[in-house]
Amino acid sequence: MKALESVSNYGVGDCVLDFSPTNRIGSQNVGMAVISRDGRLLH
């Protein structure tokens, strides 16, 4: 959890991720992506 809690206002494309010890929602957007071990986006 400490790793997630350290993510503050991190921009990912159109989405901003924001976690803290009191905010574990992270984002209002919901999506699903699978990234392979070699970094490719899988559908």
Side-chain angles (χ1 to χ4, degrees):
M1 289 308 299
K2 288 198 180 275
L4 277 178
E5 291 171 355
S6 70
V7 177
S8 178
N9 292 317
Y10 181 76
V12 182
D14 295 342
C15 180
V16 176
L17 301 178
D18 189 24
F19 290 92
S20 73
T22 58
N23 175 19
R24 293 195 174 148
I25 294 173
S27 173
Q28 299 297 319
N29 300 323
V30 176
M32 175 90 175
V34 178
I35 302 173
S36 68
R37 289 183 185 207
D38 63 354
R40 291 181 299 127
L41 182 62
L42 305 176
H43 300 250

